[in-house]
Amino acid sequence: MSDAWWTWVGIAVAVVFVGVGAWLLLASRRDARAAASRPARDSFRREEEAPAPPKKRLAVVLNPTKLDGDGAAEKATIAGVCADQGWAEPLFLPTSEHDVGFGQTRQALAEKVDVVCAFGGDGTVRAVAQEMIGTRVPVGLFAGGTGNLLARNLELPTDDLARAVTVALTGRNRHIDAGWLTLDPDESHLDEHVGEGSSTGPDRHAFLVMAGLGLDAAIMEDTSEKLKAKIGWTAYVPAGLKNLLAERFKARVSIDGAPPITVRARTVLVGNCGKLTGGINLMPDAEPDDGTLDVVVIAPRGLAAWVSVAARVLAKSGRSTQTLDRYRCREIEVHVDRDQMVELDGDIIGEARHIQIEVQPRALIVRTENGRSSTAA
């Protein structure tokens, strides 16, 4: 073979060796970069050993007078359900004579708990809810009183504490309206300690179920707490009979800023929910999340007229008459000619001649079993 042929063979071999060497060099550099970017084995070990996120926590604002003895059994039930659901030990905050739940609720919120529950009667629920309005923290309801009106209107369990706790931990959120009642300080006489501990003061109060002026408040005032504890809601019957034919009062009622109308009444009721103690549905069209308030003015003159009113209520009639007038509104103002007892969700707050009430739509989150979509405007 000629020398030229061997020259070309040598050149080809050299090119091959150069190409292979370049490929090996590039591959080694890629491996080095990959090794540099890959976390060390120890770093994987540190991630695996990172602490778990903190457990969720429940706070319970409870009224000691509604517990069985020292409440050990109820607390154990609540703690047991929390443990079963993987939640932390609950925080228990008892109410007192001078603070029925307002300050305790603010303390719970300061602890950044995930749910705040009210364990007591309607008064405890109202105090807790008032401080929770406008927050994004849900409220849970543990029935401990006679009425438990909000729980009943929302169809929550009232006779099974473990189930109620489960709903508070795992249920769905429902945004409901809140009513706000404002008193004229020059025309009201408050009971002792009313509003004590509240962040809104003694002249502005929230309610979730119903506010009333006149007969219904007088019945609440005259009903014995001991009797309620013994026989339940039927304890209201003697007080009702006592006040049934009390003298009517004159009231000027203004609906949504319209010119006032003058009526003779025994009671003026403003409701966010419609069901009362004993399952009576006084306001069949009321929904707790519709952005409106339902108003009933009851004004029978004698016993026969009372029978007519009772028949219409039991029949769930939405029609207005001279003895039972109905309205719907976002705000209402009532002036009466003489002092009348005022109640909020069954709690007497004192006497007044002038009240203003307005609705705050979708202001409170409550844990419920079904969540239910809001129809608020």
Side-chain angles (χ1 to χ4, degrees), residues 31-92:
D31 291 343
R33 286 196 296 269
S37 63
R38 185 184 305 121
R41 187 180 302 274
D42 288 343
S43 68
F44 286 116
R45 187 174 295 114
R46 285 194 296 270
E47 288 181 5
E48 291 171 359
E49 294 172 357
K55 293 182 178 181
K56 292 183 177 180
R57 195 179 191 194
L58 178 82
V60 184
V61 178
L62 52 86
N63 182 346
T65 67
K66 304 297 183 180
L67 302 178
D68 185 11
D70 62 0
E74 292 94 333
K75 291 178 181 179
T77 297
I78 296 170
V81 176
C82 286
D84 290 343
Q85 295 292 336
W87 285 50
E89 186 76 15
L91 173 65
F92 293 105

Side-chain angles (χ1 to χ4, degrees), residues 115-138:
V115 182
V116 180
C117 297
F119 191 171
D122 294 313
T124 306
V125 171
R126 192 181 68 80
V128 171
Q130 180 166 308
E131 297 297 328
M132 299 289 289
I133 288 172
T135 72
R136 300 184 64 82
V137 181

